[in-house]
């Protein structure tokens, strides 16, 4: 067996284990926490009081206008200078959550605004309050439309978690760096890490396609019954 094949075989489980123990949880927790933050931010942008809208606008502007890597450095390496010390994993979770929240808030806001005005009027004609209309009429339609962009955001986050390596979080890329430092074979290790990320992304892309088809069937059924 060639030496490079043996090296890939020996390092496969450590890399995969790092992905299962750190990359996957980091992705899931950050995405769903960020999604809650995004939903709250979008509702504030649409229906909140002026001061709250200004705060949310500033948050979105700041996060979208600065690199994710810089944000992670500020949280992990910068905050200790003012007495706020975070462990690597919580720092990464905070950074990714804030980033996901800012970007997806614009997705959710745009999707809600895309719902025809007639849907609001129909809900109000049934004596629904604004929040009842949002919950019962607007959000179910918005959820279907938001599946593709939010799925893309989730898949992108899987790859972005590799940036957690700079915070010493032992995820896939950090594990590859450590093995490469011992074996002096960075090309092989980084290629293998890339392949594992590719597998994760491909599985999620396949799930996205199925999810879109399922929502598409529901949409077609709803149109036929109208």
């Amino acid at each position: 067996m060639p030496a490079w094949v043996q090296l890939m075989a020996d390092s496969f489980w450590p890399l995969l284990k790092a992905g299962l123990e750190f990359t996957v949880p980091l992705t899931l927790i950050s995405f769903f926490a960020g999604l809650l933050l995004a939903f709250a931010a979008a509702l504030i942008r649409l229906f909140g009081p002026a001061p709250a809208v200004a705060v949310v606008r500033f948050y979105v502007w700041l996060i979208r206008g600065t690199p994710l890597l810089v944000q992670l450095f500020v949280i992990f390496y910068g905050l200790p200078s003012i007495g706020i010390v975070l462990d690597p994993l919580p720092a990464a979770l905070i950074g990714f959550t804030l980033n996901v929240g800012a970007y997806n808030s614009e997705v959710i806001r745009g999707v809600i605004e895309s719902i025809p005005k007639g849907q609001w009027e129909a809900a109000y004609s049934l004596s629904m309050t604004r929040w009842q209309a949002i919950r019962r009429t607007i959000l179910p339609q918005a959820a279907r439309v938001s599946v593709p962009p939010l799925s893309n955001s989730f898949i992108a986050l899987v790859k972005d978690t590799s940036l957690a390596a700079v915070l010493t979080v032992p995820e896939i890329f950090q594990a590859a760096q450590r093995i490469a430092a011992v074996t002096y074979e960075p090309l092989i290790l980084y290629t293998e890490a890339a392949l594992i990320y590719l597998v994760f992304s491909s599985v999620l892309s396949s799930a996205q396609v199925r999810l879109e088809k399922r929502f598409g069937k529901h949409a077609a059924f709803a149109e036929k019954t109208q």
Side-chain angles (χ1 to χ4, degrees), residues 110-120 137-139 141-142 145:
V111 167
I112 292 176
E113 289 182 330
S114 71
I115 302 301
K117 186 179 179 181
Q119 297 296 315
W120 290 93
T137 304
I138 304 304
L139 287 185
Q141 299 179 63
V145 178

Side-chain angles (χ1 to χ4, degrees), residues 14 19 30 37 76 81 110 138 145 161 190 205 210:
S30 298
L37 180 60
F76 186 66
S81 63
I138 304 304
V145 178
T161 55
Y190 295 157
S205 296
R210 293 185 180 182

Side-chain angles (χ1 to χ4, degrees), residues 26-43 59 93-109 111-112 139 142-143 146-154 157 211:
L26 186 59
T27 301
L28 292 175
I29 295 173
S30 298
F31 183 77
F32 287 107
L35 201 58
L36 293 176
L37 180 60
F39 183 69
L43 291 183
Y59 155 65
L93 286 171
I94 292 172
F96 290 129
T97 297
L98 291 175
N99 194 270
V100 168
Y103 279 92
N104 284 342
S105 69
E106 292 298 281
V107 172
I108 295 173
R109 181 176 66 87
V111 167
I112 292 176
L139 287 185
S146 66
V147 168
L150 292 181
S151 298
N152 290 336
S153 174
F154 183 68
L157 181 60
L211 191 62

Side-chain angles (χ1 to χ4, degrees), residues 153-169:
S153 174
F154 183 68
I155 294 171
L157 181 60
V158 173
K159 295 173 288 185
D160 288 342
T161 55
S162 61
L163 295 175
V166 301
L167 309 187
T168 69
V169 176

Side-chain angles (χ1 to χ4, degrees), residues 1-66:
M1 180 181 294
W4 66 272
V5 175
Q6 185 64 52
L7 176 58
M8 292 188 73
D10 292 340
S11 59
F12 176 75
W13 173 242
L15 295 183
L16 181 61
K17 183 179 179 183
L20 296 176
E21 290 184 351
F22 290 95
T23 300
V24 172
L26 186 59
T27 301
L28 292 175
I29 295 173
S30 298
F31 183 77
F32 287 107
L35 201 58
L36 293 176
L37 180 60
F39 183 69
L43 291 183
I44 291 173
R45 283 285 301 274
L46 292 171
F47 310 112
V53 171
V55 171
V56 171
R57 282 179 181 270
F58 176 78
Y59 155 65
V60 173
W61 168 77
L62 180 65
I63 297 299
R64 294 181 70 193
T66 55

